[in-house]
Amino acid sequence: MENSQKGFIPVMLTPFLSNGNIDYPALTQLTEIYLQAGSSGLFANCLSSEMFELSDKERIQAIKHVIKVVNGAVPVVATGTFGGPISQQADFVKAVSDTGVEAVIAITSLLADEKENDQIFSERVFDLLKQTDDIPLGFYECPVPYKRVIKPEQLADFVATGRVIYHKDTSLDLAAIKQKLKLTEGHAFGLYDAYVVHAVESLKAGSAGLSCIQGNYFPELIVWLCDHYNDNHLKDEVAVVQQFLIDNMDVMHNVYPVVSKYFLQKRGLNISTFTRRNVGAFTPNVVKEVEKLFDDYTALRSDLNIEVFI
């Protein structure tokens, strides 16, 4: 997903009905909102999608639904590894690839246990590459079941195969990101940073874009930042946006994704706050914090003249 223009890849939510089934009309509307906001791609079937709480059948159905709604407008990537022997993971990678995604994402922490070393991890990656034909792959340093961060030298070896085109980085380490970018330069490959605290610096360093949960509150703001991060005429506004994201990190991560679904309700999306994952209590105090976030964002959006569709 290499592109000279910086892009935003939302980590998609899965809307549910109150009975716990996937709400496909809401998923359609949510997908359209991401697109209308200017997203340059979509990451379906990820942690924000509650992927570990979905069955294999639901994972495939949800990915197919997103691809149908997108209708070729932007590329879609989706997770395809959920543990077990590499041969089993390879089979599901092929099933996800058959849906029409641009790349299938491998969860780094499901290719090797926490106790297993980097050599074992690398061996598993190359085994997965071998068993998945020519399917383009990517990585996601998902924090569940634990976070395994790929070292820059490892990533360079994987990208050099020509098979790895995408990386969602959650290292929170700008120096490591710069090293990853340096060692993978010249390849058809994009690193998308999940950590908005250093979003502007990461974009300036050469990241292909951002892939962060903040896009499940205000995707148009993340797109705006990707578009203007290096605009000297708007450097004060860029600094304000960066600080806004930093100041509200805790609010947006607390009881997530319930909070983001509530935020989207306030924006006008017909989505329930139902989640299959136990993320904690959505207390009156949390509600108050999200409502303040909504008011503050509404004011910021107005100041920046950002158009919204809901």
Side-chain angles (χ1 to χ4, degrees):
M1 300 182 73
E2 187 183 41
N3 194 320
S4 58
Q5 186 177 2
K6 305 299 181 181
F8 170 51
I9 310 292
V11 285
M12 296 187 67
L13 297 170
T14 299
F16 295 103
L17 298 167
S18 57
N19 65 4
N21 293 333
I22 295 176
D23 183 349
Y24 284 102
L27 183 57
T28 296
Q29 189 183 8
L30 183 61
T31 304
E32 290 170 344
I33 289 164
Y34 292 132
L35 295 176
Q36 290 165 348
S39 302
S40 56
L42 296 174
F43 187 173
N45 194 37
C46 56
L47 190 60
S48 288
S49 312
E50 302 178 56
M51 62 182 179
F52 292 119
E53 286 71 43
L54 302 177
S55 67
D56 280 354
K57 182 179 180 181
E58 287 174 321
R59 290 163 181 158
I60 295 294
Q61 286 177 333
I63 295 166
K64 285 182 175 179
H65 187 85
V66 169
I67 288 174
K68 183 179 179 181
V69 175
V70 168
N71 194 27
V74 298
V76 177
V77 300
T79 302
T81 61
F82 289 92
I86 294 300
S87 59
Q88 177 183 322
Q89 299 200 46
D91 286 343
F92 198 66
V93 165
K94 292 172 185 175
V96 172
S97 178
D98 287 344
T99 66
V101 295
E102 176 170 349
V104 182
I105 307 305
I107 302 299
T108 54
S109 57
L110 291 176
L111 293 174
D113 294 338
E114 196 165 5
K115 301 174 295 188
E116 295 178 316
N117 63 28
D118 288 340
Q119 181 181 345
I120 291 173
F121 173 73
S122 290
E123 288 172 357
R124 301 258 175 84
V125 170
F126 286 117
D127 192 10
L128 184 67
L129 287 167
K130 184 179 179 181
Q131 293 193 46
T132 50
D133 305 322
D134 295 323
I135 295 170
L137 298 181
F139 295 109
Y140 171 22
E141 295 167 339
C142 181
V144 178
Y146 74 97
K147 186 188 286 192
R148 177 179 283 269
V149 174
I150 300 178
K151 291 186 171 60
E153 295 77 13
Q154 286 180 296
L155 185 61
D157 287 343
F158 304 148
V159 171
T161 65
R163 292 277 307 284
V164 175
I165 67 170
Y166 179 95
H167 178 64
K168 176 179 159 82
D169 195 281
T170 69
S171 68
L172 320 183
D173 185 340
L174 190 59
I177 287 169
K178 289 178 178 179
Q179 186 69 359
K180 288 174 181 176
L181 293 169
K182 179 181 178 182
L183 293 176
T184 57
E185 195 172 0
H187 292 277
F189 167 78
L191 182 152
Y192 291 82
D193 201 340
Y195 192 44
V196 294
V197 167
H198 59 217
V200 172
E201 289 306 311
S202 183
L203 292 168
K204 286 182 177 180
S207 293
L210 303 175
S211 186
C212 49
I213 71 163
Q214 286 72 17
N216 286 322
Y217 297 84
F218 23 71
E220 57 284 320
L221 183 67
I222 309 304
V223 170
W224 184 94
L225 193 62
C226 289
D227 288 344
H228 300 293
Y229 73 97
N230 212 22
D231 188 339
N232 283 331
H233 298 294
L234 292 171
K235 63 181 181 181
D236 291 341
E237 290 87 345
V238 167
V240 167
V241 171
Q242 177 67 90
Q243 194 59 48
F244 172 80
L245 295 171
I246 292 170
D247 291 344
N248 289 288
M249 278 284 286
D250 290 345
V251 174
M252 288 185 277
H253 279 83
N254 188 19
V255 202
Y256 177 83
V258 175
V259 285
S260 63
K261 292 181 177 183
Y262 179 68
F263 191 95
L264 290 169
Q265 276 185 3
K266 291 189 67 64
R267 289 188 52 152
L269 178 63
N270 184 21
I271 184 173
S272 79
T273 58
F274 185 99
T275 58
R276 293 184 182 178
R277 191 187 314 150
N278 182 12
V279 294
F282 190 43
T283 64
N285 189 55
V286 174
V287 171
K288 185 185 293 186
E289 289 177 340
V290 178
E291 289 179 346
K292 183 180 185 302
L293 174 65
F294 180 80
D295 291 342
D296 291 346
Y297 173 64
T298 301
L300 177 61
R301 186 191 73 212
S302 178
D303 289 344
L304 297 172
N305 294 315
I306 293 176
E307 183 180 4
V308 294
F309 297 91
I310 60 163

